[in-house]
Amino acid sequence: MEEVKLLGWWMSPFSRRVELALKLKGVGYEYIEQDLANKSQLLLEYNPVHKKVPVLVHNGKTMAESLVILEYIDETWPNNPILPRNPYEKAMARFWAQFIEEKCNGGLWKIMWCKDEEERGRLVEEASHCFRTLEGELKGNKFFGGDEIGMVDIAANFIGYWLGVVQEVSGMELVTRDKFPVLCKWMDEFVEHSVVKETLPPRDKLHAEFEARLGAPSWKY
Amino acid sequence: MSKNELVILDCWASPFCMRVKIALAEKGLDYEARPEDLFGGKSDLLLTSNPIYKKVPVFLHDGKPLCESSVIVSYIDETWPAPALLPSTPYERSQARFWADYIDKKLFDSSAAIWKASGDDAMEGAKQEFVEVLKVLEGALGEKEYFAGDAFGYVDILAIPITCWFLASERFGNLKVEAECPKLSAWIKRCMAKETVAKVVPDPEKIYEFVINLRKMFGIA
């Protein structure tokens, strides 16, 4: 009997990535919500190095880091693959997932916490280039994975959904429909996808949380 | 075509390039290493095949470019499966990828922060962080010969090149890796005794000289 557990946090795009992959493959799991302000013994024991969510537990074996977990899920449950089988295409998917993590998400994070107007302007300019590059990678396809969602789409989930809320709350106009029509079309397709829909945190709750946190001097955890 | 023309756009001092060269040597593959002048002027091939990061290594397989060293090493392992660099089970692979991610995020930067530090506080902080990272890795190694067990593999390949930069951190930081982490130090010697590694990883004294020049270029002391 397969036993799959996921330690996650409702607001975390990282733990939502794992949920999305499990749901795409029809894998049943027990979800254990974590309180990141008061980390549980379980979390600290399962992820002593980073003490973060998500953590996947499969038949007692624990794994951390969402992109690492996605690869494990794809290898263990090969139906509805999220990575290409061709080694070169697989390598490119990994490259883009890392690019999204480091340059796009990384850039957004810096912008969200930058209090200096001029510096923020510079960061937004830099991030714009990254989003332009990412947009180019869609190459006329519905998703980064082609006709279906793949690892790159899953990795881009923050951009697909969370970013819209962040922009609303902060007034930041980075990825707008007139500047990035192709990327925004991808965002529409992403959030409308039948399985993705099930994994998105409620928008009003997310809005309220971002409002509270973006006003604070720093993200608490 | 498919004559397996393998090219790496290279820099002798780059631990990220060394990773790729060690992987190719482990697989017994012939390749051409084209040195790049990273400070004088990057080649057109580098700029066109890695327009996003403009960095080495770039690996070209029959003209098709790949960037980001961990992605390249995974690709090499999947394209030429013997001898295997990654472990055989999905779970063991997830552990290897977890440590690869940790090494990518922490090892080089924490080591470099020492020789980049200006001021006692920055130096103390950098030293503490570096030693902490080393101890975490030493913990992951445990009593094993190599990170995955008895065989030299993926995690070892990603980590060992960075260790030739440690002498510079030791000299500028006035610390000794062997004193702080004897087991990790023994692992370094074990890896360096391998022909595939020894042929690729330069004498740390040469890297130390390289760092002295880098510091002059960056205007540090």
Side-chain angles (χ1 to χ4, degrees), chain A residues 49-50 61-65 68 71-72 75-76 87-88 90-92 94-96 98-99 103 133, chain B residues 52-53 64-68 70-71 74-75 78-79 90-91 93-95 97-99 101-102 105 136:
Chain A
V49 175
H50 298 301
K61 296 198 165 126
T62 63
M63 282 155 270
E65 288 305 300
V68 170
E71 296 236 17
Y72 174 83
E75 284 173 18
T76 306
Y88 186 78
K90 190 187 280 194
M92 287 312 293
R94 287 175 177 144
F95 172 85
W96 286 108
Q98 275 186 30
F99 175 79
K103 297 295 245 181
T133 302
Chain B
I52 292 173
Y53 296 109
K64 281 162 89 167
L66 277 176
C67 312
E68 292 305 293
S70 328
V71 170
S74 295
Y75 172 80
E78 284 160 20
T79 307
Y91 174 69
R93 278 202 289 277
S94 77
Q95 299 307 290
R97 289 188 182 121
F98 174 87
W99 288 112
D101 174 75
Y102 183 84
K105 282 180 174 135
V136 169

Side-chain angles (χ1 to χ4, degrees), chain A residues 16 19-21 23-24 29 143 149 157 160-162 187-203:
Chain A
R16 294 289 186 169
E19 285 191 82
L20 178 50
K23 285 197 199 286
L24 282 166
Y29 61 96
F143 297 113
I149 286 206
N157 68 340
Y161 181 69
W162 278 253
M187 286 157 71
D188 293 339
E189 296 284 5
F190 182 77
V191 301
E192 277 308 303
H193 185 282
S194 56
V195 182
V196 173
K197 262 189 210 183
E198 291 174 37
T199 69
L200 299 177
R203 202 179 174 94

Side-chain angles (χ1 to χ4, degrees), chain B residues 137-150:
Chain B
L137 286 175
E138 193 175 59
L141 180 67
E143 300 303 318
K144 306 191 294 295
E145 294 255 299
Y146 299 104
F147 278 92
D150 299 327

Side-chain angles (χ1 to χ4, degrees), chain B residues 119-186:
Chain B
D120 289 338
D121 284 347
M123 176 60 84
E124 266 320 295
K127 282 168 68 170
Q128 265 181 39
E129 163 90 11
F130 179 56
V131 170
E132 197 185 297
V133 170
L134 292 179
K135 289 196 168 169
V136 169
L137 286 175
E138 193 175 59
L141 180 67
E143 300 303 318
K144 306 191 294 295
E145 294 255 299
Y146 299 104
F147 278 92
D150 299 327
F152 179 76
Y154 187 66
V155 177
D156 310 285
I157 292 174
L158 297 189
I160 194 64
I162 299 173
T163 69
C164 70
W165 284 67
F166 287 176
L167 181 66
S169 310
E170 286 177 321
R171 293 228 172 116
F172 285 106
N174 193 24
L175 63 101
K176 285 259 182 250
V177 170
E178 187 159 8
E180 301 285 350
C181 296
K183 286 187 182 154
L184 197 67
S185 198

Side-chain angles (χ1 to χ4, degrees), chain A residues 25-193:
Chain A
K25 289 168 180 275
V27 177
Y29 61 96
E30 180 195 344
Y31 177 76
I32 309 171
E33 175 75 5
Q34 298 300 299
D35 176 1
L36 298 183
N38 291 299
K39 291 180 180 180
S40 68
Q41 265 311 108
L42 201 65
L43 179 61
L44 297 175
E45 189 192 311
Y46 284 172
N47 191 0
V49 175
H50 298 301
K51 306 176 178 54
K52 287 181 178 176
V53 293
V55 174
L56 186 77
V57 190
H58 184 207
N59 294 333
K61 296 198 165 126
T62 63
M63 282 155 270
E65 288 305 300
S66 60
L67 297 181
V68 170
I69 297 171
L70 291 185
E71 296 236 17
Y72 174 83
I73 290 172
D74 205 40
E75 284 173 18
T76 306
W77 295 281
N79 61 308
N80 298 348
I82 57 176
L83 272 165
R85 289 303 175 241
N86 170 277
Y88 186 78
E89 286 168 31
K90 190 187 280 194
M92 287 312 293
R94 287 175 177 144
F95 172 85
W96 286 108
Q98 275 186 30
F99 175 79
I100 285 163
E101 202 75 300
E102 282 166 32
K103 297 295 245 181
C104 300
N105 289 353
L108 285 172
W109 196 253
K110 284 187 209 157
I111 294 168
M112 280 159 70
W113 298 108
C114 181
K115 305 293 178 192
D116 177 71
E117 279 283 347
E118 208 183 301
E119 174 68 1
R120 194 162 63 239
R122 197 191 60 75
L123 289 170
V124 167
E125 172 85 27
E126 201 180 301
S128 261
H129 286 301
C130 295
F131 282 99
R132 187 66 64 206
T133 302
L134 184 64
E135 191 180 49
E137 197 42 33
L138 277 162
K139 298 179 180 155
N141 291 321
K142 192 172 170 192
F143 297 113
F144 291 101
D147 294 325
E148 246 311 329
I149 286 206
M151 169 126 140
V152 180
D153 302 275
I154 301 174
N157 68 340
F158 184 88
I159 300 164
Y161 181 69
W162 278 253
L163 178 58
V165 181
V166 168
Q167 292 194 143
E168 236 171 65
V169 169
S170 65
M172 172 193 1
E173 284 185 359
L174 175 53
V175 179
T176 59
R177 223 161 265 283
D178 52 286
K179 286 188 215 161
F180 292 93
V182 175
L183 192 59
C184 286
K185 183 158 182 299
W186 168 80
M187 286 157 71
D188 293 339
E189 296 284 5
F190 182 77
V191 301
E192 277 308 303
H193 185 282

Side-chain angles (χ1 to χ4, degrees), chain B residues 1-214:
Chain B
M1 199 224 314
S2 202
K3 41 191 284 276
N4 269 336
E5 195 192 292
L6 308 179
V7 174
I8 173 177
L9 303 185
D10 186 32
C11 167
W12 71 273
S14 158
F16 308 103
C17 294
M18 291 174 215
R19 289 169 166 183
V20 178
K21 290 183 283 190
I22 293 171
L24 291 168
E26 283 288 308
K27 302 280 186 182
L29 294 165
D30 289 324
Y31 62 93
E32 180 199 344
R34 292 192 201 165
E36 286 284 333
D37 180 358
L38 299 177
F39 306 109
K42 294 174 180 177
S43 72
D44 284 339
L45 184 59
L46 176 57
L47 298 174
T48 52
S49 52
N50 191 358
I52 292 173
Y53 296 109
K54 303 179 177 59
K55 284 183 178 178
V56 290
V58 176
F59 179 67
L60 295 126
H61 182 191
D62 293 334
K64 281 162 89 167
L66 277 176
C67 312
E68 292 305 293
S69 57
S70 328
V71 170
I72 297 169
V73 173
S74 295
Y75 172 80
I76 289 169
D77 197 40
E78 284 160 20
T79 307
W80 295 277
L85 301 179
L86 271 148
S88 54
T89 71
Y91 174 69
E92 287 170 307
R93 278 202 289 277
S94 77
Q95 299 307 290
R97 289 188 182 121
F98 174 87
W99 288 112
D101 174 75
Y102 183 84
I103 287 160
D104 272 352
K105 282 180 174 135
K106 304 267 195 183
L107 192 58
F108 185 80
D109 286 350
S110 63
S111 158
I114 293 176
W115 53 259
K116 285 182 184 173
S118 53
D120 289 338
D121 284 347
M123 176 60 84
E124 266 320 295
K127 282 168 68 170
Q128 265 181 39
E129 163 90 11
F130 179 56
V131 170
E132 197 185 297
V133 170
L134 292 179
K135 289 196 168 169
V136 169
L137 286 175
E138 193 175 59
L141 180 67
E143 300 303 318
K144 306 191 294 295
E145 294 255 299
Y146 299 104
F147 278 92
D150 299 327
F152 179 76
Y154 187 66
V155 177
D156 310 285
I157 292 174
L158 297 189
I160 194 64
I162 299 173
T163 69
C164 70
W165 284 67
F166 287 176
L167 181 66
S169 310
E170 286 177 321
R171 293 228 172 116
F172 285 106
N174 193 24
L175 63 101
K176 285 259 182 250
V177 170
E178 187 159 8
E180 301 285 350
C181 296
K183 286 187 182 154
L184 197 67
S185 198
W187 165 82
I188 293 173
K189 294 193 177 94
R190 200 173 296 129
C191 292
M192 290 305 302
K194 286 180 65 64
E195 196 185 329
T196 51
V197 177
K199 280 190 170 168
V200 164
V201 178
D203 181 353
E205 290 287 355
K206 293 208 167 92
I207 297 290
Y208 175 62
E209 292 301 321
F210 187 78
V211 166
I212 290 176
N213 283 325
L214 277 181

